[in-house]
Amino acid sequence: MEFFIDTGMVDEIKKAAEWGIVDGVTTNPSLIAKSGRTQVEVIKEICEIIDGPISAEVIATDKDGMLKEAYEIAKWHDNVVIKLPLTEAGIAACATLSKDGIKTNVTLCFSSNQALLAAKAGATYISPFLGRLDDIGHNGMQLIEEIRMVYDNYGFTTKILAASIRHALHLRDCTLVGADVATMPYKVIEALYKHPLTEKGLSTFLADHAKANS
Ligand code: G3P
């Protein structure tokens, strides 16, 4: 299971890099907007911090516009992955980029049929959005399970990048159903370390050590 951090905040990425467990970064236009900086600035800086796949999303909604942006973004760094929305134009652009050997992340996926389209277009990653499905009363995890089954049934190598992860339980369930990658906000990754029994156990060990060595 690969861990990506889902943020446009460079400070968070720097701190996460120190953990030694982050394999890549995903961004989207909303996350970049929150950073208050331009996409090019943020993505280039992230590429200097994390040596792994860095997703940067196109803004155009037509195929030609998407391709124009994608070829420009791809020049920024070898690790850049072009993020495309799961629309007709996005899938068509994905097919073209795949043929050109450019890595892609097809985003805003909410059904296994959509994930199948992305795989057929040669997407490197498919991003199903768990939390946003849960938000409207659907079962986000079931979608990951279905995509895993479809990809395994037909031998597609597109990686399942579980996105819109809101809490540690989402991650735990993703590992059980076989998502390849989980992209998580900084706070969710940070929370993975926490367990009350770890904290309690450690303070007992330290107290016992101090008593024995006083
Ligand atoms: O980057 C895409 C995705 O992870 C967004 O998550 O929390 O805005 O639904 P969220």
Side-chain angles (χ1 to χ4, degrees), residues 101-113:
I102 293 177
K103 291 197 172 142
T104 51
N105 173 0
V106 176
T107 188
L108 291 167
C109 171
F110 295 98
S111 79
S112 58
N113 281 343

Side-chain angles (χ1 to χ4, degrees), residues 60-95:
T61 53
D62 63 299
K63 182 187 170 192
D64 289 345
M66 285 177 179
L67 288 175
K68 194 169 168 244
E69 271 182 63
Y71 291 122
E72 185 52 40
I73 294 171
K75 284 188 217 153
W76 296 347
H77 197 281
D78 286 349
N79 286 343
V80 168
V81 175
I82 306 300
K83 208 169 177 189
L84 303 151
L86 211 155
T87 57
E88 269 181 51
I91 293 296
C94 176

Side-chain angles (χ1 to χ4, degrees), residues 179-199:
D180 299 292
V181 188
T183 190
M184 294 167 277
Y186 180 89
K187 278 197 167 160
V188 173
I189 305 181
E190 199 183 31
L192 302 177
Y193 290 93
K194 311 272 187 236
H195 197 288
L197 291 180
T198 305
E199 280 151 37

Side-chain angles (χ1 to χ4, degrees), residues 123-153:
T124 315
Y125 301 97
I126 181 70
S127 289
F129 276 31
L130 297 186
R132 291 193 195 186
L133 273 174
D134 290 356
D135 288 347
I136 60 158
H138 289 237
N139 185 341
M141 203 51 62
Q142 197 181 325
L143 172 61
I144 306 277
E145 268 183 276
E146 277 182 29
I147 300 173
R148 180 74 286 154
M149 206 180 291
V150 171
Y151 284 7
D152 290 350
N153 281 348

